[in-house]
Amino acid sequence: METQWPLVIFTLFVCVTCGLLGSMAILALKGKGRDLQMTALITSAASLVIGGIGAFLHLEHWERIFNGFGHLSSGITQELIGCVALAVVIVLWFVFLRKVDEKLPAWLPVVTLVVAVAMVVATGHSYLMPARAAWGIQLIVFYLANACLLGPIVLWAIAVAKRDAEAEGV
């Protein structure tokens, strides 16, 4: 089986998006990182778009794209639902971050964490195939570990670039 580079791009950028959103949510729950949130949000939105382009490049033709959405158990359908849910979460963050003087609602970071974890699990689950017995729950754990590693690294890089000493040490 040859490497499907568009799928590699999709999963990499989904892990970055979900990990970054999750890291932002954890900092928000701690009451930290307010100066990083808009930059991290823009980065996660761009990452989601790049990952989405990778997914569509894999299917190569519009007919295949829409045929993949034929049923809810389809991996591509679950990934599309997850991408839409992530986009909704990103829009909610944009709306609440525009109000500079107000605190974020407590439910937003919690919802963000739930959606981010669900998307990573859905992405890992979509690659589980009966023909590949070696792929099991460890693939989902692998994607979760990647998101937990890549998100904080990107957020740390943003903190360093913005010279945010409080968030650099978190």
Side-chain angles (χ1 to χ4, degrees):
M1 185 168 143
E2 67 185 39
T3 303
Q4 298 292 318
W5 287 108
L7 294 180
V8 171
I9 291 168
F10 172 73
T11 55
L12 171 69
F13 283 99
V14 161
C15 286
V16 168
T17 300
C18 293
L20 190 52
L21 287 172
S23 298
M24 279 175 40
I26 290 170
L27 280 180
L29 288 171
K30 291 180 171 183
K32 297 182 180 183
R34 178 75 176 188
D35 295 338
L36 302 175
Q37 289 172 345
M38 187 57 80
T39 305
L41 192 59
I42 291 168
T43 305
S44 64
S47 180
L48 182 62
V49 169
I50 293 168
I53 290 170
F56 283 113
L57 288 176
H58 171 69
L59 295 172
E60 297 177 352
H61 195 274
W62 288 106
E63 287 177 2
R64 290 185 192 150
I65 293 169
F66 290 113
N67 287 340
F69 299 140
H71 49 87
L72 285 177
S73 63
S74 165
I76 190 75
T77 302
Q78 293 171 1
E79 290 170 351
L80 174 67
I81 292 168
C83 285
V84 169
L86 285 172
V88 167
V89 165
I90 289 170
V91 168
L92 287 172
W93 275 86
F94 273 123
V95 167
F96 285 108
L97 287 179
R98 299 236 340 131
K99 301 174 184 178
V100 178
D101 56 339
E102 290 185 28
K103 283 183 70 173
L104 286 173
W107 57 266
L108 184 58
V110 174
V111 169
T112 302
L113 281 171
V114 169
V115 171
V117 169
M119 178 59 181
V120 173
V121 169
T123 300
H125 182 264
S126 71
Y127 296 112
L128 296 180
M129 300 174 212
R132 294 280 183 189
W135 294 357
I137 190 75
Q138 58 269 43
L139 184 63
I140 295 171
V141 172
F142 175 71
Y143 284 148
L144 282 170
N146 279 328
C148 289
L149 180 67
L150 293 171
I153 288 172
V154 172
L155 191 60
W156 173 79
I158 291 169
V160 169
K162 291 189 81 160
R163 301 187 196 283
D164 188 332
E166 177 190 11
E168 280 182 43
V170 175

